[in-house]
Amino acid sequence: MSSVLVLPTAAAARTLAERVIGGLGNRWLHTAAVAARAAQISAVVPAEDRELLVASAWLHDIGYGELARETGFHPIDGARLLDRNGWPSRVSRLVANHSGACFVASVRGLDAEMAAYPDEASATSDALTYADQTVGAQGEALGIEDRITDMLHRHGPGSPNALVAHLRTPHIRAIADRVQARLGAAL
């Protein structure tokens, strides 16, 4: 008899996210809005991935929580917290790789840590990044260009984010183009 992996629900993901980052003000507002955005665009992923997308959106920033902090890089810290709590590796990989995290990990010297979480480069990972990159730091809706500008302003010109903007920004724009094309096809 073969075993079937049951993916966690969005409700379970929300509960964990609330426990880990629920008290972090704007971080929580951003997270809740990203999860709502993921639900809105879920038609761009295969039906069997829709719950996974929303669950991953709830969890994408849990690495900012005190319970998760190890490396100081939230995508990896969040993925590691999920691993420690028995979440499926696919959820950990989606969290680790959201929004072009590999570029920032590299400039921070975390290539080896990132290698533990291969990027699936799928419609689902694209949708998670798109949801994250169309919601501002306080949960407000933003266009991709405004979100990139805001992120660079908040992190500063000498930040790891700024140092890899020449690589990460085209990556995020390409993802946005793919998701917007899928949204157009889904209508």
Side-chain angles (χ1 to χ4, degrees):
M1 177 187 254
S2 65
S3 63
V4 175
L5 176 66
V6 178
L7 290 175
T9 65
R14 182 186 194 282
T15 298
L16 177 59
E18 191 166 23
R19 182 168 58 95
V20 177
I21 60 171
L24 295 183
N26 286 341
R27 179 65 49 208
W28 179 249
L29 294 175
H30 169 77
T31 296
V34 170
R37 184 73 172 133
Q40 290 172 345
I41 65 165
S42 64
V44 303
V45 303
E48 62 272 13
D49 278 2
R50 291 177 183 160
E51 186 86 7
L52 172 71
L53 170 62
V54 177
S56 297
W58 276 113
L59 299 168
H60 82 284
D61 274 355
I62 62 167
Y64 282 111
E66 190 64 36
L67 289 173
R69 211 162 288 134
E70 286 183 22
T71 68
F73 185 52
H74 81 276
I76 291 172
D77 291 348
R80 286 178 169 182
L81 177 67
L82 292 168
D83 290 347
R84 289 192 303 273
N85 283 277
W87 286 72
S89 64
R90 188 165 180 215
V91 176
S92 300
R93 291 190 317 269
L94 286 166
V95 167
N97 286 285
H98 77 276
S99 297
C102 61
F103 299 107
V104 181
S106 182
V107 79
R108 292 178 69 138
L110 296 169
D111 288 327
E113 290 82 353
M114 199 67 173
Y117 301 100
D119 186 0
E120 67 179 55
S122 67
T124 304
S125 64
D126 281 358
L128 177 59
T129 290
Y130 184 83
D132 183 36
Q133 294 299 310
T134 56
V135 172
Q138 298 174 352
E140 71 279 16
L142 283 180
I144 294 291
E145 296 304 321
D146 290 336
R147 175 74 161 124
I148 291 167
T149 299
D150 174 66
M151 179 273 306
L152 290 171
H153 176 74
R154 281 184 296 109
H155 290 278
S159 69
N161 288 291
L163 295 175
V164 296
H166 66 288
L167 300 171
R168 187 173 178 231
T169 299
H171 173 78
I172 290 171
R173 286 179 181 142
I175 287 171
D177 289 347
R178 288 193 300 268
V179 172
Q180 288 167 351
R182 290 178 189 126
L183 283 168
L187 296 179

